[in-house]
Amino acid sequence: MEIESFLFCYAYISNMVYFIGIGGVSMSALAHFYRAQGLQVAGSDATESEITKKLHSCGINVYQQNLQAVESADLIVYSSAIHEDNVELKHAREIGKRIISRGEALGNLALGYEKVIAVAGAHGKTTTTALIAKIFTVAGLNPTVHIGGNLSEEESNFIIGGREFFITEACEYTDNFLYLHPHMGVVLNVEAEHLDYFGTFERVQSSFRKFLRQSENIIAPFEYSFQKRIYTYKNYHEDKNGLSFDCFKAGEFYISIKSTLHGLHNVKNILTAIEVAEFYGVKKEIISLAIANFKGVKRRFEKRPFKNGSTLIFDYAHHPKELEKTITIVRKLCKGKLIVVFQPHTYSRTKAFFEDFIKVLMADRIIIFKTYSAREEYDEAGDAYTLYNSLLSMGRNAVYSEDYHLLKTLTDLNSDDIVLVLGAGDFYDKCSEAENFALLR
């Protein structure tokens, strides 16, 4: 299907598409895509970030608020983080603007491609989407890619390629992924996540099943696909440089894999990427080469040199199961002290999994950073300070901080120590700003 088919519904657009919450990872990628189709794009975001700075550098105006821009726009796109009482969104509704959600915008964009490969799941979808994109790129398939993180090689969360393959993350929050009707629907795992929207795990499962029903082909856990996965692994090995294993297909040796990634969870992500690539006819030698040369996604086990020869690792983990996996991996790699900095993401998640967070936050030193509230109102029961007090009462070596420069205060480190920064909030972006990060080492 021609990309122009995506624009057919918006043939009346002559001025601008306006994104409310344009600083989000997915929203910013969509903004770039729309601009690439020759449309004028602008948007708003509450805070300045590396993402909004990049948008500015590409000629996309970003405001904190601009009602005149809303009035002149032909289409308004808003993110899931935007409340109905948002001034711009309310004004757009009052004056009768055409308004769609981020999920609907992504679904409309996907209509312009012949084969949509959509990767869903509570954990691992960014890395798996990026792996598939890397394999398809190395194979010369020229995919267009929309991803929830910056690819380390491209320094971008989007790639504009050809019109045959559109590879995208599929987020389940507010049922956004149900706007997609993929040629290949991938579900990595299903967890009790986003309960502020779904309410119950049963509703989460129901939405994932609906996503799979509207996918032409599927790769999913056995309980959702009713078919056994044929790709397995043996001879797993991991060291500080990454992992390796032998991949088997239907019980027969298929290919040996080496990767700079870490953890058994990434073995499963790699196996899924292999299965997708093989389905579309990519040769196994190309698959192996692409995986070996995959540089990862920023903020997904991203290593940086730190003070006194120590190591700083940033990871996006924000669910207790993700934290447990990442902390376990780093503990095995760490020969000295392990310092964990964790920024809870939303009050509702912290409250829903409070005891699980207490259980998994184990390190030589724990620094709890103030909650990234995202779309939510303050809730003491799910606040970072409440989590810190509970850790302290259990005898953990914990401190609480609201200082974005806190990494500069860590001075008692040596070459064997690792500082692990976890969370999906804004701490990473603040630390990555040049004026802050230049002083960290």
Side-chain angles (χ1 to χ4, degrees):
M1 183 182 292
E2 294 288 319
I3 190 71
E4 284 79 6
S5 65
F6 131 74
L7 292 173
F8 178 77
C9 296
Y10 306 123
Y12 58 85
I13 296 177
S14 57
N15 291 322
M16 180 171 59
V17 182
Y18 191 84
F19 289 79
I20 304 176
I22 199 170
V25 177
S26 178
M27 287 282 280
S28 64
L30 287 173
H32 285 293
F33 274 120
Y34 275 60
R35 180 173 170 79
Q37 308 313 319
L39 298 175
Q40 184 180 347
V41 175
S44 63
D45 207 85
T47 58
E48 186 180 54
S49 66
E50 291 301 312
I51 291 176
T52 59
K53 289 177 183 177
K54 183 172 183 178
L55 289 165
H56 271 299
S57 70
C58 294
I60 297 175
N61 290 326
V62 180
Y63 312 98
Q64 281 198 327
Q65 185 183 109
N66 191 324
L67 296 183
Q68 286 184 329
V70 170
E71 290 169 1
S72 64
D74 295 304
L75 177 67
I76 306 294
V77 182
Y78 67 97
S79 80
S80 299
I82 300 301
H83 294 288
E84 281 298 319
D85 61 357
N86 175 274
V87 173
E88 290 180 322
L89 184 58
K90 284 178 65 178
H91 187 61
R93 294 199 190 284
E94 288 168 357
I95 62 178
K97 288 294 178 181
R98 168 72 167 143
I99 302 169
I100 61 175
S101 67
R102 182 203 66 82
E104 188 175 354
L106 178 62
N108 288 333
L109 181 64
L111 293 174
Y113 297 84
E114 294 178 23
K115 299 181 182 73
V116 176
I117 300 169
V119 181
H123 322 299
K125 52 184 175 286
T126 298
T127 298
T128 305
T129 305
L131 276 164
I132 296 168
K134 177 68 174 181
I135 295 169
F136 276 51
T137 300
V138 173
L141 296 175
N142 193 26
T144 293
V145 182
H146 168 270
I147 194 168
N150 282 334
L151 300 167
S152 294
E153 290 177 274
E154 285 80 6
E155 292 283 337
S156 176
N157 57 349
F158 68 98
I159 300 171
I160 297 177
R163 299 175 181 175
E164 181 178 7
F165 292 104
F166 181 57
I167 303 171
T168 181
E169 269 187 57
C171 178
E172 74 273 21
Y173 186 62
T174 67
D175 282 326
N176 277 319
F177 61 175
L178 298 185
Y179 288 105
L180 296 165
H181 293 77
H183 186 260
M184 172 64 77
V186 178
V187 170
L188 300 169
N189 42 63
V190 182
E191 300 281 356
E193 258 281 58
H194 301 301
L195 296 183
D196 58 317
Y197 169 74
F198 289 106
T200 66
F201 183 42
E202 288 71 25
R203 279 199 61 203
V204 176
Q205 292 176 304
S206 175
S207 284
F208 272 96
R209 289 193 175 96
K210 190 178 293 184
F211 169 75
L212 290 173
R213 283 198 299 271
Q214 59 193 45
S215 302
E216 189 172 337
N217 304 282
I218 68 171
I219 295 173
F222 176 63
E223 62 268 33
Y224 296 93
S225 68
F226 304 105
Q227 58 188 22
K228 290 286 187 181
R229 300 288 292 274
I230 63 172
Y231 291 84
T232 56
Y233 70 94
K234 293 181 181 179
N235 305 321
Y236 171 76
H237 174 75
E238 182 174 359
D239 57 30
K240 65 179 182 179
N241 297 315
L243 58 84
S244 63
F245 63 90
D246 291 328
C247 173
F248 286 74
K249 179 182 178 182
E252 299 292 328
F253 174 77
Y254 181 66
I255 199 167
S256 292
I257 294 295
K258 288 186 177 181
S259 171
T260 59
L261 299 176
H262 290 270
L264 280 171
H265 62 290
N266 274 318
V267 172
K268 296 176 182 177
N269 294 337
I270 291 170
L271 289 175
T272 300
I274 291 172
E275 189 168 353
V276 171
E278 216 255 354
F279 178 87
Y280 288 102
V282 181
K283 294 181 179 179
K284 61 183 180 180
E285 293 79 11
I286 293 176
I287 294 173
S288 177
L289 177 65
I291 293 171
N293 287 284
F294 177 65
K295 303 301 182 184
V297 180
K298 287 196 169 184
R299 207 173 175 179
R300 271 68 176 181
F301 214 85
E302 178 187 349
K303 295 181 183 178
R304 297 179 186 246
F306 201 42
K307 298 176 181 178
N308 303 326
S310 63
T311 302
L312 177 63
I313 300 175
F314 288 103
D315 195 84
Y316 198 71
H318 53 285
H319 184 281
K321 287 194 176 182
E322 295 170 338
L323 264 65
E324 184 176 28
K325 291 173 185 175
T326 306
I327 292 172
T328 299
I329 292 167
V330 176
R331 173 57 78 187
K332 291 179 181 179
L333 299 175
C334 186
K335 297 180 180 178
K337 299 188 298 293
L338 173 58
I339 296 94
V340 169
V341 180
F342 174 53
Q343 181 181 27
H345 187 273
T346 72
Y347 301 111
S348 61
R349 181 182 286 110
T350 307
K351 184 177 179 179
F353 302 108
F354 195 89
E355 294 303 321
D356 294 320
F357 281 118
I358 294 293
K359 180 180 177 182
V360 303
L361 284 167
M362 299 286 288
D364 298 295
R365 193 187 315 170
I366 304 166
I367 303 172
I368 301 297
F369 195 74
K370 67 177 180 179
T371 301
Y372 183 75
S373 59
R375 55 197 170 265
E376 296 183 348
E377 298 295 328
Y378 175 75
D379 183 347
E380 183 179 2
D383 186 44
Y385 194 76
T386 305
L387 179 64
Y388 152 72
N389 276 326
S390 292
L391 290 168
L392 206 61
S393 68
M394 297 185 71
R396 308 279 174 85
N397 183 12
V399 296
Y400 175 81
S401 177
E402 296 188 359
D403 180 9
Y404 285 102
H405 299 264
L406 74 85
L407 293 181
K408 297 177 187 177
T409 69
L410 300 179
T411 56
D412 57 335
L413 300 173
N414 61 50
S415 60
D416 290 329
D417 297 338
I418 296 178
V419 178
L420 175 61
V421 181
L422 301 167
D426 59 356
F427 187 80
Y428 174 87
D429 288 332
K430 298 291 185 182
C431 288
S432 294
E433 292 175 359
E435 62 269 27
N436 288 337
F437 204 81
L439 301 175
L440 291 181
R441 293 177 62 181

